[in-house]
Amino acid sequence: MSSPPLSLAVASATEATSQVLDALVTLAESLGTPETVAPALAGARAALEGAEAARAALQAALVAAVAALGTAGTAGPPGLDPEGLYRALAAAAEAAAAQLERELRRNRRRRRGLWAGRTLALGLMVFCAPLLSLDAVRELLGVTQECHLVPCLATLALLCQGALWALGTSRRHLATAVGHQRHQALRYRRLARATAATAEATAEATAEATAASAALGTLEEVTGHLGDLVAAVTEELEVARGFAASAALLGDIVVALGTALGEREGTRRLERAARALPGGE
């Protein structure tokens, strides 16, 4: 995720680097024609002022970006993979939810069995109570009037009903727990995705900060060389003895910038200007 202040500061610094390099080339080329040195020197000083402002802005933006990057990079101890941890927690929550759902299905089967037992006990009780009140039926079955069949059926029906109530409470708790585990799994998956996005944004911010640091270094180097040449030219203007020292310094600048910037139009023009001066190779 790009930081607009840093990207704008990098663009300004890159533009300032180009302007400083152009001013350096112009000043170097003017050394061969002394009447053009004064305006070239004024342009170089103006370029230095603009470069200093761009350098300060980029440095401030880079410090802020690095501070924000350091804050984002404190997500956990070294070696810890937050995304993997969240995905593992999500998988554990899913497994717990699946186990609870299996228990919920067993609860339903038990409730169906108890409901059938209670219904059978009530049916037998309703059927047997009037029959056992008849003397002929008791004599046929060989039971006495004090037979405990109906109370036993009533007790069985009450026990089944009590177990049904307990299983109903358990079913509600299990359903709530399943919902909670599903919610936790969803939350952990979201956190894993957010962590992955944060890691990607951190990598992009790191790359941007690295590029900004390189841009700052290039600007400082080019600005430093221009400042040295401006100081040398100003000193030689005061003594009016030519620009031998400036030409020698320019040769060193050409070598340094050729190494730092490589082949580009500004460095090639600077090299040609250095060769055109008296004593240039």
Side-chain angles (χ1 to χ4, degrees):
M1 186 168 55
S2 177
S3 171
L6 183 57
S7 62
L8 290 176
V10 169
S12 298
T14 302
E15 179 64 23
T17 300
S18 298
Q19 292 174 358
V20 169
L21 187 57
D22 289 341
L24 182 59
V25 171
T26 301
L27 183 57
E29 291 173 342
S30 72
L31 296 180
T33 52
E35 65 274 9
T36 62
V37 170
L41 195 59
R45 287 171 177 157
L48 285 174
E49 292 179 1
E52 177 58 27
R55 185 202 64 78
L58 178 56
Q59 191 170 36
L62 186 58
V63 168
V66 170
L69 187 61
T71 303
T74 59
L80 180 65
D81 178 17
E83 181 186 359
L85 177 61
Y86 284 133
R87 293 195 183 281
L89 289 172
E94 286 286 358
Q99 178 63 31
L100 289 170
E101 285 181 339
R102 287 193 291 272
E103 185 61 32
L104 193 57
R105 287 193 292 271
R106 285 194 290 270
N107 179 284
R108 292 193 187 101
R109 288 196 295 270
R110 294 190 189 103
R111 291 181 70 246
R112 284 196 295 269
L114 287 171
W115 183 85
R118 184 202 62 180
T119 302
L120 179 61
L122 288 174
L124 288 175
M125 184 177 65
V126 171
F127 178 74
C128 293
L131 291 178
L132 291 177
S133 66
L134 300 175
D135 295 336
V137 174
R138 288 200 303 274
E139 290 178 1
L140 179 63
L141 296 176
V143 297
T144 63
Q145 191 171 3
E146 290 79 16
C147 175
H148 298 294
L149 178 60
V150 173
C152 286
L153 290 173
T155 302
L156 179 60
L158 288 175
L159 288 174
C160 289
Q161 184 61 50
L164 282 172
W165 285 335
L167 285 176
T169 301
S170 175
R171 179 185 62 82
R172 288 190 295 272
H173 290 326
L174 285 170
T176 301
V178 168
H180 175 71
Q181 291 298 329
R182 294 294 185 197
H183 175 75
Q184 286 293 93
L186 180 61
R187 175 172 173 267
Y188 286 134
R189 282 196 295 269
R190 288 175 177 170
L191 286 172
R193 289 194 294 269
T195 301
T198 300
E200 182 180 355
T202 301
E204 293 177 0
T206 301
E208 186 179 22
T210 302
S213 179
L216 179 60
T218 301
L219 175 61
E220 288 177 340
E221 180 167 0
V222 177
T223 302
H225 290 313
L226 179 58
D228 292 341
L229 186 60
V230 165
V233 171
T234 301
E235 183 177 350
E236 289 187 311
L237 275 176
E238 292 176 354
V239 299
R241 292 181 181 176
F243 300 104
S246 299
L249 177 61
L250 183 58
D252 296 336
I253 292 174
V254 168
V255 174
L257 289 183
T259 302
L261 302 181
E263 286 291 328
R264 55 189 293 179
E265 180 61 27
T267 56
R268 287 194 294 267
R269 286 180 57 194
L270 195 61
E271 184 177 1
R272 289 195 297 269
R275 287 179 178 176
L277 292 176
E281 297 182 358

